[in-house]
Amino acid sequence: MVWLIGSKGMLGSEVAAQLTEEKIPFVTSDADVDITNIESLEHFAMQATSQLHSDHKLECIINCAAYTAVDKAEDEAEKAAAVNAKGVANIARVARNNGAKLIHISTDYVFDGKGCTEKDGKIRPYTETDQKAPLGVYGKTKSEGEDAVIKGMAKYYILRTAWLYGVHGHNFVYTMTKLTGSKDEIKVVSDQRGTPTNAATLASVIVELVKSDEKKFVPFGIYHVTDEGETNWHEFACEINRLAKKHKKIDPKHECRILACTTSEYPTRAVRPAYSVLDKTKIQEALHIKLPHWQKSLESFMKDKRFEVQ
């Protein structure tokens, strides 16, 4: 049995859909179970396991719950830490006490966004072993959550992802589709690089890790999971606009000028990483898969029948 925490969020909803498709038994919780309260988690786990048949047990917990309001976190540090650090520590404790493996979602924000420079001067994608150095409250609390998992148990998968979007909830793709379909001109930053990631891609990896067992075992540890390739927010917005027109999500005849601007021209409460590209070699070799390019994933997203601008 699998326990999916944060089942109503953008990623959690996608994971639930894929678990259902794979016919993997699972139970869900969201705001109804307070992850910052260890008693609440333990009570749910006890109820769930007591309802299982004698030949089943709680084998895996997937944690998709998180405080993700990056800017707001700067003013709500305690609230962010309660969810992203304390809450995660509680989940790890419950997973360990039940003998279950934990799949926990983390972020590129645990890095400082400066990238890692090679001898030839080129910046390479971050690997799982590169030094963490979060810039803001959100990144720091997510980093603390990772540390809590590592300290609290041995059977874990920490998946760092970036630039996530999906069919459920608000995200950059929906925002750009709406704006470029209605405005005559918008500005989008062009000096932050990363990899847009369809929640469907990450969910498919999560499901594969759920299925990991003695026959097809994936070593526990930290993994990076995003779509392949890299771009910047301005180029991403332009591609969203092109595909939205192609697939008639907006009026193909409407023209919107998408202007590039710098981060300094578009200040935010929290500092964003300038470079967020993650190296996915480890997860692809472990699962024997090839992750899709971000442009291919974006087009699949546009074709998704569930696509609906929020």
Side-chain angles (χ1 to χ4, degrees):
M1 176 67 75
V2 175
W3 176 9
L4 173 59
I5 298 176
S7 62
K8 294 182 179 179
M10 183 169 64
L11 177 60
S13 298
E14 188 63 47
V15 173
Q18 293 196 25
L19 287 173
T20 300
E21 188 176 338
E22 290 285 325
K23 295 181 172 55
I24 297 173
F26 67 101
V27 294
T28 65
S29 67
D30 203 83
D32 54 314
V33 177
D34 182 5
I35 66 171
T36 68
N37 185 315
I38 186 68
E39 288 79 15
S40 179
L41 285 167
E42 290 175 335
H43 179 69
F44 185 91
M46 181 179 68
Q47 281 192 318
T49 53
S50 66
Q51 293 172 6
L52 300 179
H53 297 296
S54 59
D55 58 339
H56 287 78
K57 66 175 183 177
L58 182 59
E59 298 176 334
C60 178
I61 297 178
I62 305 169
N63 179 34
C64 293
Y67 181 106
T68 57
V70 178
D71 290 317
K72 206 172 180 180
E74 296 299 311
D75 300 310
E76 295 184 345
E78 289 186 8
K79 189 174 181 179
V83 176
N84 293 343
K86 179 185 176 182
V88 174
N90 288 341
I91 293 170
R93 176 177 164 184
V94 172
R96 183 191 67 222
N97 290 346
N98 282 271
K101 63 186 179 186
L102 173 62
I103 301 174
H104 172 64
I105 311 304
S106 193
T107 173
D108 58 305
Y109 275 71
V110 300
F111 297 116
D112 61 14
K114 296 178 181 178
C116 299
T117 306
E118 299 279 37
K119 293 180 180 179
D120 59 5
K122 293 182 179 180
I123 296 178
R124 64 161 174 78
Y126 285 105
T127 66
E128 289 81 356
T129 57
D130 284 326
Q131 187 69 37
K132 295 192 293 183
L135 299 173
V137 171
Y138 170 68
K140 289 176 182 176
T141 58
K142 290 296 288 183
S143 177
E144 289 167 359
E146 289 187 2
D147 295 340
V149 171
I150 295 169
K151 181 180 179 180
M153 61 186 303
K155 295 165 59 178
Y156 65 83
Y157 298 108
I158 294 174
L159 307 182
R160 293 180 184 143
T161 193
W163 294 27
L164 199 66
Y165 65 88
V167 293
H168 304 282
H170 299 284
N171 59 70
F172 187 78
V173 179
Y174 281 151
T175 298
M176 288 299 107
T177 300
K178 185 175 182 179
L179 290 178
T180 61
S182 60
K183 301 289 186 180
D184 294 325
E185 180 179 295
I186 62 171
K187 287 186 177 182
V188 184
V189 296
S190 60
D191 56 355
Q192 295 174 21
R193 297 195 69 78
T195 307
T197 306
N198 191 334
T201 299
L202 179 54
S204 67
V205 170
I206 290 171
V207 170
E208 286 304 308
L209 292 177
V210 168
K211 295 190 291 186
S212 172
D213 54 25
E214 293 180 358
K215 294 180 180 178
K216 189 179 178 182
F217 178 67
V218 178
F220 295 115
I222 300 173
Y223 292 88
H224 290 171
V225 185
T226 69
D227 282 317
E228 280 288 13
E230 64 177 86
T231 188
N232 61 56
W233 290 109
H234 175 260
E235 291 173 348
F236 186 22
C238 290
E239 186 66 359
I240 291 168
N241 180 243
R242 184 185 75 81
L243 291 173
K245 286 182 176 181
K246 176 182 176 181
H247 296 287
K248 296 184 170 66
K249 301 300 182 182
I250 59 176
D251 182 357
K253 296 181 180 179
H254 179 75
E255 291 299 328
C256 174
R257 289 208 307 160
I258 307 174
L259 306 177
C261 69
T262 63
T263 299
S264 60
E265 293 177 80
Y266 190 78
T268 54
R269 184 74 177 84
V271 179
R272 263 64 174 175
Y275 184 84
S276 294
V277 183
L278 305 177
D279 187 300
K280 280 78 65 176
T281 303
K282 184 179 176 183
I283 191 66
Q284 293 186 107
E285 290 182 347
L287 291 176
H288 306 289
I289 60 171
K290 182 173 177 57
L291 294 167
H293 191 275
W294 71 266
Q295 289 173 302
K296 183 178 180 181
S297 279
L298 180 60
E299 181 142 33
S300 295
F301 180 70
M302 289 287 179
K303 293 178 181 178
D304 196 314
K305 293 179 180 179
R306 301 170 297 168
F307 183 103
E308 185 177 357
V309 177
Q310 306 296 307

